Each structure stands twice: as structure tokens, then as C-alpha cells.
Amino acid sequence: MTSFVQQNKVAVTVSALLGIGTIAGIIYYMKTNSSNNSDDSSNSESSKKKRRNKKKKGKSNNGASSTENGSIVEEDNKNSVYPINEATKLPNITPEILSNLSESEKNDWAIALKEKGNEYFKAKQYDTAIVYYSNALDCKKDHIFYGNRSACYYALKDYENAVKDTTSALEIKPDYSKCLLRRAHVYEEMGRYEDAAFDLTALSIYGGLNDKSSDSVMARVLSEHADKLNQEVYSHLPKVLPSSSSISSFLGAFVKEDLDLDLNNYEKDSGSYYLISALNEIYKDTDEGYENADNLLNQSIKRFEDNNNSSNDQTDKKIIAIAYEYMGIFSFLKTFDNAKEYVEKALEISPRPRMHVVLALIAADKGDYVLADQEFTKAIKMNPEDPNIYYHYGQVYYLIGDLTKAQSNFEKAKALNPNNVYAHIQLACITYRHNEIESCLTMFNNAKTLFPLSPEIPNYLGEILFDKGDIENASKQFDIATKLQEAIPGNNIGALPLINKSVIYQNTSDFQSCQNILEKAVKIDSKSEVAWSSLGQVYLLMQNPNGAIECFEKACRLCRSAEDRKQTIALLESAKIHLRVRQDKVLSKKMEEVIAQYSAAQMAA
């Protein structure tokens, strides 16, 4: 069952854009248009590529630099407007000479020096070009001269000087697009991804948010930034269990263990005692219960391993194997790499089909669907009537888009375990995917009769109704789901109905109600990265970037994998950029102008 918020994440983000002048949107909607040519060149990128492919640049026989069209770059001492050093064949301009020039003469010299520098640049003689651009700057401080020299430094991989020159150019002309883009590229090369993203944002703002030329550059920068943060910051976080609602949905499709759960029937402090204690905590379906179960499972395994060589240990192997299986499940939920080892150990001790199912899910989580299929096949071969197999098998097929096989597996899961509410819901969702709307609604109503206290059913029915445009009834179903969740023990779906309802508030521009309901959601399910991320987006809407940053940072810490975290990092970056735009007087003023133009266009439409 695909998450409603995941399905609508783009819509949520786009809604957030409008309140902040699409700053967050710049993160997602840019295209690349990078160029290393000197800044006053008027040639198109396509013509440059054709020219580069047609002719290579090199040296002439006499050692002078050859330009792209084959002409020689050399100084004409007689006709040059500025003095030339006979020995070096380079400009001979000193402060004393400049002090005797008029402003008009300085301007003429600067232009001539720049033009000659361009010739050397085109010939890839960057060091010589730098000399000419530097002399031009001695004559006149001009943003183009700084920009051209920065292009030389960039080509030479002298990134520190490239940053200095692009910055100097932007101090003169803040909306100088070529330098904004070049400095973004330089920052990217230096690993200063936040600065690169800010420059790309500024580029878009100065372009009235209409220029999408650096879209792919931004996407790449944010991906590199996310990889860096995942490695340097988030890879060192302690591995913890996800929210109880996530664990509940994972374990809820398995049949409850057919074991005696009365602790009085087990020797205190034994491995079996700790396992049964863990199962009792699991069935509470709360954050605290799952945390307790995690600790108890560790104690159970320790006791079994301590007694491994004891000849007096009469513990049923089935009990020991189940302890290892659950240890593997909890390790998997915490993303430990050794999860598979625990489950394989369980198989060695006392195999059962469910263990192969868990191995299949571990493989599917890593994208290895071939191995997952093999493990499901082993489970079926062991016991084709095991009710724990088919729901999860159907989930994998659902994820890869094979609805026919998904449906057949969900039907078998429902037949073998009629109490599996998720099988009923998934079958209704697949029916909806087949555009059989009335049949889908009938299936949901039948499920309501069978599971009148299940908050899952009205929640996912609400998703279906929202998708088909019935907003009023979708809202009612989310409210029913919320009330049912509040009324029953456990945390079946946690804050999901509230998060879903928040999307409706966003669509109706009721942002204050959206904020209120999401603040409630994070209190109910403080481990939900979706709740924190959604609240962060709303804080951006409400002009609260500091609050947004706090939410996105919490969401980043809660994300289960580095890949899941990438989009949240992009949102975190958008909030930080928002703050920087506020602090930049020139850019913030331009942003206000763009927002005003956007609002006027919306009203006119």
C-alpha cells in the first residue's frame, strides 16, 4: 500500500513554494546551462561544441598561441594603444603610467586589454589571459573583467582565486548570471554545496524564477550535498527503531505467535522468559513496548548463547529459533547489516516459512527482488498454506508494479488469514487501480463491517476518496480514523490520518489549520519522519524558516536510509536558503519584487 503522503509529496512541496516565493521549488525545478567560455563571448553553446569538434586548438610552429580559427595570438607593438614590454611581449603598464592617463584613456586601454585577453582565453592560454585581464582591471574595475579572469582561474582549477574574482564581479553586479553560475560550479568543486545551492537559487531569483537553465546542476549539487551529509553526519547516528506505527504495519501482517504468553510458566531470567516478555511488549504496540522488546530480545539471545554449550539446557529449539528470528527482525528495522545473520541462525536451529519471508523482505529492502523471490519460493515449498507468506509476497509484487500477481497473493493471504486487515485493504486498493470504483468502495465497506475498530480502513478509504476528488468525504474518513486510533490501545497507524488531513488543509489554503494538525501529529508520533517533514514544509509556508530547519533536521535523523533522507536534505537546504535570502538585502528585495509580480499575475489570471 503506497503511502498517501508519499504519493502526494510533490503536491505538498509545490503548495509550500507559493508561500515563500518558490524558494523551495528552486531545489526541484532547474536545468543545467554551464559554460567555461569568457563572459563576453556571444557564441551559442551549440556552435561552441561544433567548433570544438571541428578543430583542436594548439601551438603554431613558431610557439605563438593559436586561436580557434587558426590565427596567431601576438601583440602588435606599433598599433597597440598600451605599451608592450619588448622582452616579454606582454603589457608594460605601471601605476605611474596609469596615473598620467585620463579616465577615457584608461577605459580604452581596459577594453583593448580585455579583447586581447579574450584571444588568449580562446587559445586556452589561461595564464597569459590572466595577465591581460589583470591589467584591464588595473585600468578599470569592471564586473566582466573579473568574470573573465575567474573563468581562467576556473579552467586552471585555481578555485580560491576563482571564488575571489566571481565574488568581486557580483559585488559590482549582483545579478551577473554567468558569475553566479560559475561560482556555483566552483563551490561544487570545492565541496561547498550549500554555497553552490545558494548561488543557483540567486540565479533563479534574478531570472524571475522563469530561468530553468541550471535545474540539473542544482539536482546534482543537492545529491552530492546529501551524500556528504549522509556520510559525515548521519552515518554516525545510533541505529534506533522506527516509529511504533511503522513497526505495527510491518508486524501486523504476520499471524500472532502460537505460544504460551504466561510468564509464570517460564523459568525467570531464562532465555525463554525474556523472549515471552518481549512478545508481550510487542503486542502492546507502543513506542515504549517496542523499545522494551528490543532490550528483552537482546537479553534472551544472550541467555541462549551463554547456555549454548550447557548439557542441562532443555529449551525447545523452536523457542530459541523464534528468539533469533525476532532479533533479526528488530535488527532489520534498525537497519543493522547483521539482520540476515540472525535469521539464518534461526533457520539452522529450527526452520519455519516465516524466516524465509523475513529474509525475502531484507533482500527486497536492498532492491534484490530476485533473491526475495527465491526466499518466498523456499517459504512456499516448506509450507504452501502458511498464512505469513502471501501478504508480504503480494507487497513485493505491488512495489514492482505487477498488480496481477500482487492481487493473487493478497487473495491467498486473505483466505489463509481472514484477520489480516491489510490484505482486505490492499485488495480494495488494487481494485481501485483497475478503475473499478464501486467495487473498491464496496470492499472497503465490507472491511469496515469485519473490522469496525480498525483505524486503517477509514484512513486508506480516505486516501482513495481524496484521489478521486471527493475531498469532503475523504476528510470525514480521516477524522474517523483519527478518533478510532485515539480510542484503541496501541499505535496502529499513528499520526497518518492527521498527516493526510493536513494535505487537504493545504489544498484549501488553510495553512494555520494545517500547522495545528501537524503539530499534533508530531506529538502523537514523534518518530515519524513524514510528520516532521510535512510540518517543516508548512513552517516554510508560514514564514518560519527556523522552525522548518528544526523539523527537517529531526526528519533527517529519523529517516531509515540514506536514500530516503535525500529529499528531506533538499527541503532542509531550502529552509536554510530562505534564511540567507532574507539576510541578503539586494536578493531579498528582488525576491519581494518577484513575489509581487507573481501575485499580480495570479490575480490577473
Side-chain angles (χ1 to χ4, degrees), residues 523-593:
K523 289 180 180 178
I524 291 174
D525 196 348
S526 61
K527 285 188 172 184
S528 170
E529 71 273 18
V530 176
W532 284 110
S533 180
S534 299
L535 180 58
Q537 293 179 64
V538 174
Y539 279 153
L540 279 179
L541 275 165
M542 305 296 284
Q543 301 294 305
N544 181 7
N546 286 310
I549 289 171
E550 182 179 352
C551 289
F552 293 139
E553 286 177 339
K554 287 183 178 179
C556 282
R557 290 193 292 271
L558 291 167
C559 285
R560 191 168 176 273
S561 71
E563 195 61 34
D564 293 340
R565 193 177 291 115
K566 279 194 170 185
Q567 186 178 39
T568 306
I569 289 174
L571 291 168
L572 173 61
E573 191 59 33
S574 73
K576 291 180 178 179
I577 288 172
H578 185 81
L579 276 179
R580 289 184 66 174
V581 169
R582 277 186 173 183
Q583 294 163 359
D584 188 310
K585 293 181 180 179
V586 176
L587 194 55
S588 61
K589 182 179 179 181
K590 179 62 179 178
M591 189 73 242
E592 291 172 2
E593 293 174 2

